[in-house]
Amino acid sequence: MTPEQPKDCILQGQELHLDYAGKSVIAGLNIHIPRGRLTVILGTNGCGKSSLLKMLSQVLPPSKGRVVLDGKTLAEMGNKERARQLALLVQKPELPDGIEVQELVSRGRYPHQTLWQQWSPVDERAVANALSATGLTGMARHQVASLSGGQQQRVWLALVLAQQSDVLLLDEPTSFLDIRAQLSVMDFCKALRQQGRTLVLVLHDINQALRYADHLLLMREGRILAQGAPEELISEQLLRDAFDLDARIIRDPEAGCPMLIPRVSQYDHAWDRREGPV
Ligand SMILES: Nc1ncnc2c1ncn2[C@@H]1O[C@H](COP(=O)(O)OP(=O)(O)OP(=O)(O)O)[C@@H](O)[C@H]1O
């Protein structure tokens, strides 16, 4: 499907290529992230979603091609300038030893500090607001390592929030969370979107993607298979093409959005029949 460029696009990947040790995992990928919308990237394990998110934040510079953020080439921006505009939460962030919640969230203010502008009441307020928005004020002095997986995920979200960037890239922010906690994270992302932030999430739950996304990117083997509004994009054929999945698409009776129901299992022990990593 030919990607149609959204009218107001804040982040663009142009002809992106990525090689790991000489092996190509992404080749000639073009994407457009609409401003102030919630974009979800979907695709099979190993298709290159995390790699794409890292390229979009310059954590992993593309082997070829360029990323453009609000008209500026990302590679030409300084680290702090970039981090003031764009935040990335990776899939498994490394937790520093013995760190407390407030201290970790405060690290989100690093891009705002300069030689002349040290820690200020503005930073203090940003951290307090991030803790409050994620319901962590009462846990500010707790060791992060002592918290549950769901609480720790909220701490990482608070860190990203304290960074106050317009664009948030979140890699599987709901993994390891129970269903209620997953929906809290998704509602939280929706609220950020309603405040005008741009969000790009990697998810594995297609129904959550169909419910929350304004814009979907479907990947397969390092390529974009389709991108656009979920309602217009999703089809049983596309699910077959993207996931080898045989599913029906019905309408959520309450939310009105499309949702999928996989057909009776033909998937047991199917790993060996699927292609390996790209
Ligand atoms: N550091 C690395 N060195 C070498 N190959 C890598 C590295 N990181 C990822 N890859 C390979 O790049 C490909 C894409 O990986 P990536 O993690 O981007 O996929 P993904 O779609 O995010 O997968 P998942 O859904 O399982 O998280 C895979 O084949 C993976 O094995």
Side-chain angles (χ1 to χ4, degrees):
M1 189 174 296
T2 314
E4 196 179 306
Q5 180 165 347
K7 284 187 188 69
D8 192 8
C9 155
I10 192 166
L11 190 63
Q12 260 180 287
Q14 299 175 346
E15 278 300 309
L16 296 177
H17 291 249
L18 182 70
D19 300 343
Y20 284 116
K23 191 182 127 205
S24 168
V25 291
I26 286 176
L29 188 147
N30 289 292
I31 59 154
H32 309 103
I33 304 296
R35 185 190 306 274
R37 316 300 281 168
L38 196 157
T39 296
V40 172
I41 305 177
L42 291 169
T44 53
N45 289 130
C47 73
K49 304 178 295 298
S50 298
S51 303
L52 173 60
L53 225 52
K54 287 179 186 161
M55 281 198 291
L56 289 178
S57 57
Q58 199 67 18
V59 162
L60 205 58
S63 315
K64 267 198 275 175
R66 65 177 194 143
V67 177
V68 179
L69 172 63
D70 230 353
K72 279 181 101 171
T73 301
L74 214 59
E76 289 166 7
M77 294 168 79
N79 287 345
K80 284 190 173 179
E81 182 193 5
R82 194 167 56 233
R84 284 194 296 271
Q85 295 180 51
L86 183 147
L88 169 70
L89 179 56
V90 295
Q91 210 179 99
K92 291 181 195 132
E94 206 171 307
L95 187 62
D97 275 344
I99 196 160
E100 291 181 355
V101 170
Q102 180 156 349
E103 191 188 347
L104 187 58
V105 175
S106 300
R107 294 194 178 187
R109 299 303 297 164
Y110 170 74
H112 299 272
Q113 247 93 78
T114 63
L115 216 50
W116 303 273
Q117 176 70 57
Q118 296 296 314
W119 191 261
S120 74
V122 174
D123 300 305
E124 207 67 58
R125 251 193 325 275
V127 171
N129 288 342
L131 289 172
S132 157
T134 48
L136 291 167
T137 309
M139 294 183 214
R141 303 312 304 266
H142 289 213
Q143 293 274 319
V144 180
S146 72
L147 304 180
S148 75
Q151 290 165 335
Q152 288 192 23
Q153 190 63 353
R154 266 155 55 200
V155 179
W156 290 113
L157 284 171
L159 184 155
V160 165
L161 213 53
Q163 205 170 316
Q164 293 184 321
S165 59
D166 276 343
V167 182
L168 285 83
L169 310 180
L170 310 176
D171 196 352
E172 296 192 31
T174 55
S175 55
F176 310 114
L177 301 185
D178 67 54
I179 181 68
R180 180 64 209 250
Q182 286 182 31
L183 294 171
S184 296
V185 168
M186 293 308 300
D187 279 347
F188 183 68
C189 290
K190 190 170 147 187
L192 292 175
R193 197 279 255 147
Q194 281 162 349
Q195 291 163 18
R197 308 277 191 102
T198 301
L199 290 103
V200 184
L201 275 64
V202 169
L203 293 180
H204 279 295
D205 186 323
I206 302 173
N207 281 332
Q208 278 179 13
L210 292 172
R211 177 178 285 201
Y212 285 93
D214 304 302
H215 189 71
L216 274 187
L217 288 171
L218 264 110
M219 288 186 73
R220 178 104 204 213
E221 296 172 45
R223 291 178 298 113
I224 297 288
L225 214 54
Q227 56 185 320
E231 287 273 351
E232 292 156 23
L233 206 67
I234 205 71
S235 69
E236 294 182 7
Q237 185 59 47
L238 186 61
L239 292 170
R240 266 192 291 278
D241 294 345
F243 297 99
D244 296 327
L245 181 72
D246 190 12
R248 274 189 309 133
I249 295 175
I250 60 163
R251 202 149 282 278
D252 182 316
E254 252 177 51
C257 57
M259 63 182 285
L260 72 88
I261 313 250
R263 291 207 164 84
V264 195
S265 174
Q266 337 152 0
Y267 307 108
D268 289 349
H269 316 299
W271 291 308
D272 53 347
R273 291 200 295 277
R274 285 179 49 184
E275 65 266 62
V278 290

